[in-house]
Amino acid sequence: MKLFEYEAKEIVRKYGFETPRGVIVKEGDDIRKAIESAGIKPPLVVKAQVLVAGRGKAGGVKLANSVEEAVAIAQQMFRTPIKGIRPSILLIEEAIKHDVELYAGFVIDRAERRPLVLVSRYGGMDLEEIAREHPEAIIKYYIDPEKGLKSYEARLLGKQLGLSGKQLSSFESFLVTLYRVFIDYDAELAESNPLALLPDRVLPLDVRITIDDNSLYRHPEFEATQKERLGELTEREIAARDKDLAYVELDGDVGIISNGAGLTMTTMDLVYEFGMRPANFLDIGGGAEAEHIKEALEFVMSDPKVKKVFINIFGGITRADEVARGIVMALKDLGDRAKPLVVRLTGTNEELGREILKEVGIEPYTDPLEALEHLKKL
Ligand code: GDP
Ligand code: MN
């Protein structure tokens, strides 16, 4: 689960490291009053609390030179979706003057089975972008999970970034703090980008923390915010949730329905490989019945951006005949609203499934690659 920036910053402060002074405001709040009672002074920065990448570039981070301007920007921001998501919370902070933006982040390197810290003097942009444009400028350091990140190691990394004196001490302290947060919160990611370099210290202008979903039970304090987070879903995703479909909306035009998270991911990858773009991720899960498949297919085909659909089922607990029945039901229901469909179907009751699909003139593939060749030509 991704935490909002303001939540991540609260944690960093709880662990003893300063973040810019600010206040959070919700829709309907008296924004001017909130700014005044927080005692923060312009210039201010207004930041939409949405969990999307590239928020700044998408208009979710704006500078204001007066309180009036901040209020106007905030009101506007509540009304403007950022990459399709309308923010319900804004963070208003004192803007920090700085020249250099550092990057510092912790991730788990699964292959190496240890935490990895990445630091750079080229913060401010996406890490992928830094990696592309200045690969040599990202310093990577593996952490011994038994020993944790030691102060001297953090210091060495700071030196490699060219820091010294107070800046170095502050950087060292920040890195050790963020590492403790990373571990204590079972995070898969904890990063600051940018980490502003000020004359006497570093200051995290943005913090991101993603908690490993498998360990959420150890952090029950986020239960409430998890519900709030439902506000982050797109309309179609909320509708899907009501239908009990594991659905994520994407921006391509090929609808995808598969069974099991692993196969669904693989299917998406294959669709990309074949030069097409998935419109969604939809996992019908194990043991799905015809009615559920029908709902899933109708749901995907009702999406105006979907031009064609690929159903990729490897039957196990899920029975191919149930899947076939669901497809037939959906296509009959949809009538001429149905979109071109390619089906790959193997496994339990495959023959029966094949028989059933004849009714709607679909001949399922057993080889997913052949199915994709066909899909591509549609
Ligand atoms: P992101 O796009 O979601 O990562 O949003 P960030 O919080 O990282 O903000 C994007 C950019 O806005 C940063 O790279 C900074 O250059 C700028 N920015 C954010 N906060 C401040 C601030 O307090 N002062 C100044 N001058 N710039 C800021
Ligand atoms: Mn950022």
Side-chain angles (χ1 to χ4, degrees), residues 19-75:
T19 69
R21 280 154 46 84
V23 62
I24 57 170
V25 294
K26 300 195 171 154
E27 231 172 335
D29 285 357
D30 184 333
I31 299 166
R32 161 179 292 278
K33 220 185 199 164
I35 293 174
E36 282 166 359
S37 34
I40 51 174
K41 300 260 170 333
L44 298 167
V45 56
V46 185
K47 312 183 81 176
Q49 299 301 290
V50 286
L51 303 169
V52 300
R55 172 188 55 165
K57 278 184 198 152
V61 177
K62 293 208 161 120
L63 278 169
N65 287 310
S66 64
V67 174
E68 292 69 49
E69 198 185 350
V71 171
I73 289 174
Q75 280 164 348

Side-chain angles (χ1 to χ4, degrees), residues 55 124 193-194 206 208:
R55 172 188 55 165
N193 189 25
D206 188 16
R208 256 167 224 245

Side-chain angles (χ1 to χ4, degrees), residues 46-108:
V46 185
K47 312 183 81 176
Q49 299 301 290
V50 286
L51 303 169
V52 300
R55 172 188 55 165
K57 278 184 198 152
V61 177
K62 293 208 161 120
L63 278 169
N65 287 310
S66 64
V67 174
E68 292 69 49
E69 198 185 350
V71 171
I73 289 174
Q75 280 164 348
Q76 174 69 29
M77 218 176 249
F78 275 130
R79 277 183 260 121
T80 321
I82 317 279
K83 295 194 172 174
I85 298 165
R86 223 162 51 83
S88 55
I89 303 173
L90 307 179
L91 172 63
I92 304 180
E93 288 184 334
E94 286 187 346
I96 305 297
K97 263 211 219 90
H98 62 286
D99 297 323
V100 177
E101 301 195 320
L102 306 176
Y103 173 91
F106 294 90
V107 290
I108 298 285

Side-chain angles (χ1 to χ4, degrees), residues 24 27 148 152 160 172 185 193 222 224 235 237 260 278 335 365 367:
I24 57 170
E27 231 172 335
Y152 77 87
Q160 284 177 269
E172 169 195 324
Y185 281 84
N193 189 25
F222 295 115
E235 264 168 53
E237 284 169 341
Y365 289 86
D367 180 351

